[in-house]
C-alpha cells in the first residue's frame, strides 16, 4: 500500500531536480492542501444501513480552483486519490488551464446499487462536501463509474444547500454535466480528439506526415472511438482496434470509426466485423504499426511485452498504461512515449471550457470548442517537446517539468514560495 502515491512523488522529485525547483515549492507539492474523508450511509435492501468511505483530496490550488474527478469504485483507496490528485495538479498545469488539482471518490461498487440508492448516496456525499467545493473553490467531474446524471444530482443538491457558495453560477460547481444541464458541446469527443491533436503537434517536430501512418488502438470506448475518428480524419490508417471481448485487424485499414462504433453499439463488441482478422487485445499491442494507442486499462504495457512492441510512438490515452519497468525498456529502445498527463488532457481542457461557459453565461458551438481544444493541445505538446529536446529527457519527465515550471512561475509572480 502507498506505492502509487510514493511512485508519483518520486517522479515529481526527479523532474524537479532537472530544473531546480525551489525546495519550499517541492515540499509543498509533495503534500496535499486538504485531505477530506467522509462516512456515508448506504441503505441496503434488507433494511440495514452500511457506512462507506468517501474522499476528496485537494492537492494544490496555485493555478486556480482544485479540479479533478470523483470515482465510485470498490477499490478506491486514500493512496490512489492522493496520487491521482497530485497528477491532476500536473495535468492541469501542463495543459495551462487555471485550475489546481483534486480528486475524490467513494469506496463502493455502484453496480450493486439501484438508481435510487445511487442518487441518495450522491446527494448525501454532496451535502457533506458542499462547504468544501464551489465554482471558485473546487470543481469535481466524472471519473470511473460516475456519469453526467450523477453530476446533475450534485448540481441540484449543491444548489439546495444554504451554504452553497455562488447560486448565480451554481452549474459551474461540477463539469461533465449533460449538455442540456449546462454541459459543453464537444466534451464527449474531447479526450480522443485532444490526443490526436497532441500527436499531430509532435509529428510536426519529428518532420513526419500523418498520411498513411498505421495505428493500433487498444480500447474502443469513449476515448478509443473518438481517437480513431479524429486519427482517420487526419489521414492516419487505423488497422486494429480492440475492446474487452477481443480485437480486429485489417492491414489495409479498418472502415470509418463511426461504422465500427455503430456495429459495437449493436453487438456489444467489435469482434466479428466483416473482412477483419480476429486478434487478442494483447496481440494488438505488439502489431507492426507506426503508432500504438493504449486507450483502455492501466499497466497493459509491462516488462513482458515492452521489448516486443514494434510501434515507434506510443500515445498514452489511458491513464497509467505503462509500468515503470516498461517505461525504462521503451526509453532504451528509443520508442517515443507521449505521456498520459499530456495525451489525455483534452478531457480536462474541455471541462475548463464547460466551467468557463457556465461562469460567463455563454454557449459555444462544437466547432468553437474543438478549435480552442486544438490550440491548447498544440501549445502544451510544443512546450513539452521543447523540454524533452533541451534536457534530453523522456517526454513523461518533460511534461512534469513543464507543469512544475508553470506553477513556479505563477507563485513567483504572486510572491509566494
Ligand atoms: P470506456 O469505459 O468508455 O471505454 C473503455 C474501453 O476499454 C471499452 O471499449 C472496453 O471494452 C475496453 N476494454 C476493457 N478491457 C479491455 C481489454 N482487456 N482490452 C481491450 N479493451 C478493453 O472508458 P474511456 O472513457 O474510454 O476511458 C479509457 C481510458 O482513458 C481510461 O484509462 C480512462 O481513465 C482514460 N481517460 C478517459 C478520459 C475521458 O474523458 N473519458 C479522460 C482522461 C483519461
Amino acid at each position: 500500500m502507498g506505492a502509487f502515491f510514493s511512485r508519483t512523488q518520486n517522479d515529481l522529485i526527479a523532474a524537479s531536480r532537472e530544473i531546480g525547483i525551489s525546495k519550499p515549492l517541492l515540499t509543498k507539492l509533495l503534500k496535499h492542501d486538504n485531505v477530506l474523508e467522509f462516512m456515508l450511509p448506504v441503505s441496503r435492501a434488507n433494511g440495514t444501513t452500511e457506512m462507506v468511505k468517501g474522499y476528496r483530496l485537494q492537492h494544490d490550488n496555485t493555478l486556480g480552483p482544485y479540479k479533478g474527478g470523483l470515482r465510485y469504485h470498490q477499490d478506491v483507496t486514500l493512496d490512489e486519490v492522493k496520487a491521482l490528485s497530485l497528477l491532476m495538479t500536473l495535468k492541469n498545469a501542463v495543459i495551462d488551464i487555471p485550475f489546481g488539482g483534486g480528486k475524490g471518490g467513494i469506496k463502493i461498487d455502484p453496480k450493486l446499487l439501484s438508481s435510487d440508492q445511487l442518487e441518495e448516496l450522491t446527494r448525501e456525499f454532496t451535502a457533506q462536501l458542499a462547504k468544501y467545493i464551489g465554482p471558485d473553490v473546487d470543481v469535481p467531474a466524472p471519473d470511473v463509474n460516475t456519469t453526467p446524471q450523477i453530476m446533475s444530482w450534485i448540481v441540484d443538491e449543491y444548489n439546495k444547500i444554504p451554504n452553497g457558495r455562488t447560486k448565480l453560477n451554481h452549474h459551474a460547481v461540477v463539469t461533465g454535466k449533460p449538455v442540456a444541464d449546462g454541459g459543453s458541446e464537444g466534451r464527449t469527443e474531447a479526450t480522443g480528439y485532444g490526443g490526436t491533436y497532441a500527436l499531430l503537434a509532435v509529428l510536426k517536430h519529428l518532420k513526419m506526415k500523418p498520411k498513411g501512418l498505421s495505428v493500433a488502438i487498444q480500447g474502443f470506448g469513449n476515448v478509443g472511438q473518438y481517437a480513431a475518428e479524429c486519427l482517420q480524419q487526419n489521414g492516419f490508417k487505423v488497422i486494429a482496434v480492440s475492446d474487452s471481448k477481443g480485437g480486429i485487424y485489417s492491414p489495409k485499414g479498418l472502415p470509418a470509426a463511426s461504422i465500427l462504433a455503430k456495429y459495437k453499439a449493436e453487438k456489444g463488441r467489435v469482434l466479428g466485423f466483416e473482412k477483419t482478422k480476429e486478434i487478442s487485445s494483447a496481440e494488438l499491442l505488439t502489431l507492426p504499426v507506426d503508432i500504438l494507442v493504449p486507450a483502455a486499462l492501466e499497466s497493459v504495457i509491462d516488462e513482458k511485452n515492452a521489448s516486443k512492441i514494434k510501434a515507434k510512438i506510443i500515445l498514452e490515452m489511458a491513464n497509467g498504461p505503462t509500468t515503470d519497468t516498461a517505461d525504462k525498456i521503451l526509453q532504451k529502445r528509443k520508442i517515443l512515449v507521449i505521456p498520459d498527463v499530456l495525451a489525455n488532457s483534452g478531457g480536462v481542457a474541455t471541462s475548463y471550457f464547460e466551467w468557463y461557459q457556465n461562469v460567463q453565461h455563454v454557449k459555444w458551438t462544437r466547432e468553437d470548442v474543438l478549435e480552442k481544444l486544438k490550440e491548447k493541445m498544440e501549445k502544451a505538446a510544443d512546450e513539452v517537446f521543447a523540454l524533452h529536446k533541451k534536457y534530453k529527457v523522456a517526454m513523461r519527465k518533460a511534461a512534469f517539468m513543464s507543469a512544475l515550471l508553470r506553477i513556479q512561475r505563477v507563485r513567483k509572480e504572486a510572491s509566494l514560495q
Side-chain angles (χ1 to χ4, degrees):
M1 292 309 280
F4 186 15
F5 182 49
S6 62
R7 220 170 54 227
T8 314
Q9 287 178 310
N10 288 339
D11 288 348
L12 189 72
I13 294 167
S16 75
R17 283 199 184 122
E18 296 283 345
I19 41 175
I21 288 299
S22 77
K23 270 237 164 78
L25 174 57
L26 180 62
T27 308
K28 180 189 181 304
L29 292 177
L30 290 171
K31 299 244 168 355
H32 290 74
D33 288 352
N34 298 302
V35 176
L36 306 167
E37 295 187 48
F38 307 92
M39 291 309 293
L40 307 166
V42 179
S43 25
R44 295 289 181 189
N46 64 7
T48 60
T49 299
E50 188 193 331
M51 300 303 285
V52 296
K53 264 257 164 88
Y55 300 98
R56 185 69 187 169
L57 276 278
Q58 298 174 329
H59 174 253
D60 177 77
N61 63 353
T62 300
L63 301 183
Y66 305 103
K67 177 107 196 74
L70 292 174
R71 62 175 56 178
Y72 289 1
H73 196 279
Q74 61 276 19
D75 296 335
V76 164
T77 61
L78 182 59
D79 178 71
E80 182 186 62
V81 271
K82 273 185 168 176
L84 292 171
S85 56
L86 192 168
L87 287 169
M88 282 310 299
T89 299
L90 302 177
K91 191 182 286 193
N92 295 339
V94 168
I95 193 71
D96 193 14
I97 55 175
F99 282 125
K103 200 85 179 189
I106 304 180
K107 190 175 179 57
I108 193 154
D109 180 357
K111 293 184 189 84
L112 302 178
L113 301 181
S114 68
S115 171
D116 284 352
Q117 286 173 314
L118 194 62
E119 178 172 351
E120 198 185 340
L121 177 64
T122 300
R123 287 184 183 277
E124 176 63 32
F125 191 27
T126 310
Q128 294 201 29
L129 260 182
K131 59 176 179 284
Y132 307 105
I133 60 172
D136 53 351
V137 184
D138 182 355
V139 184
D143 194 74
V144 177
N145 292 333
T146 44
T147 57
Q149 169 65 78
I150 290 176
M151 297 304 115
S152 275
W153 289 330
I154 296 177
V155 171
D156 187 54
E157 192 62 30
Y158 175 78
N159 198 33
K160 274 187 207 160
I161 290 161
N163 64 359
R165 286 164 203 260
T166 324
K167 295 293 171 174
L168 177 65
N169 293 328
H170 71 278
H171 272 98
V173 67
V174 285
T175 57
K177 301 175 290 286
V179 174
D181 192 23
S184 179
E185 297 289 350
R187 174 62 186 91
T188 312
E189 53 271 55
T191 306
Y193 273 47
T196 307
Y197 298 149
L199 172 65
L200 287 167
V202 169
L203 289 181
K204 232 185 223 172
H205 291 290
L206 298 173
K207 306 207 173 1
M208 286 169 75
K209 294 250 172 338
K211 186 135 186 53
L213 290 180
S214 58
V215 187
I217 305 175
Q218 187 191 57
F220 200 65
N222 171 264
V223 174
Q225 179 197 323
Y226 287 104
E229 182 172 286
C230 196
L231 286 162
Q232 287 175 328
Q233 284 167 5
N234 283 281
F236 295 88
K237 192 167 71 164
V238 176
I239 65 167
V241 298
S242 68
D243 60 27
S244 58
K245 313 253 167 59
I248 54 173
Y249 174 43
S250 170
K252 287 195 189 128
L254 292 169
S258 58
I259 297 175
L260 295 175
K262 191 161 170 269
Y263 178 87
K264 181 169 161 70
E266 277 164 17
K267 309 268 181 193
R269 54 182 157 77
V270 290
L271 209 60
F273 192 89
E274 58 179 359
K275 297 190 190 143
T276 60
K277 220 177 118 189
E278 179 178 339
I279 50 162
S280 72
S281 208
E283 284 167 339
L284 178 143
L285 295 172
T286 57
L287 280 176
V289 287
D290 297 303
I291 294 150
L292 175 64
V293 184
L297 308 174
E298 284 171 22
S299 307
V300 289
I301 302 175
D302 56 20
E303 70 268 29
K304 290 194 211 94
N305 59 21
S307 55
K308 297 185 197 135
I309 283 175
K310 298 181 190 69
K312 298 181 224 30
I313 298 175
I314 298 178
L315 180 67
E316 288 189 341
M317 299 298 297
N319 278 316
T322 310
T323 66
D324 280 355
T325 322
D327 215 19
K328 292 194 183 91
I329 299 172
L330 297 174
Q331 236 172 292
K332 254 197 202 143
R333 295 187 57 217
K334 305 241 178 309
I335 293 173
L336 185 74
V337 178
I338 306 178
D340 48 5
V341 283
L342 170 64
N344 69 29
S345 61
V348 75
T350 309
S351 285
Y352 160 57
F353 298 152
E354 177 178 334
W355 175 88
Y356 181 91
Q357 291 171 76
N358 292 158
V359 297
Q360 296 292 327
H361 304 272
V362 292
K363 197 92 189 140
W364 294 343
T365 63
R366 177 178 183 272
E367 288 66 35
D368 290 338
V369 170
L370 293 179
E371 199 187 307
K372 288 175 180 25
L373 175 66
K374 190 159 195 259
E375 248 170 59
K376 278 259 170 243
M377 297 304 304
E378 283 174 354
K379 180 167 171 280
D382 287 349
E383 286 175 359
V384 172
F385 196 85
L387 291 167
H388 155 69
K389 279 287 160 203
K390 181 173 172 192
Y391 289 88
K392 298 187 174 41
V393 293
M395 281 191 76
R396 191 182 314 284
K397 195 186 246 187
F400 273 48
M401 288 156 62
S402 174
L404 284 170
L405 286 168
R406 185 154 1 257
I407 295 168
Q408 176 159 271
R409 205 158 48 236
V410 169
R411 291 186 79 83
K412 268 199 182 138
E413 279 164 16
S415 302
L416 295 165
Q417 281 198 315

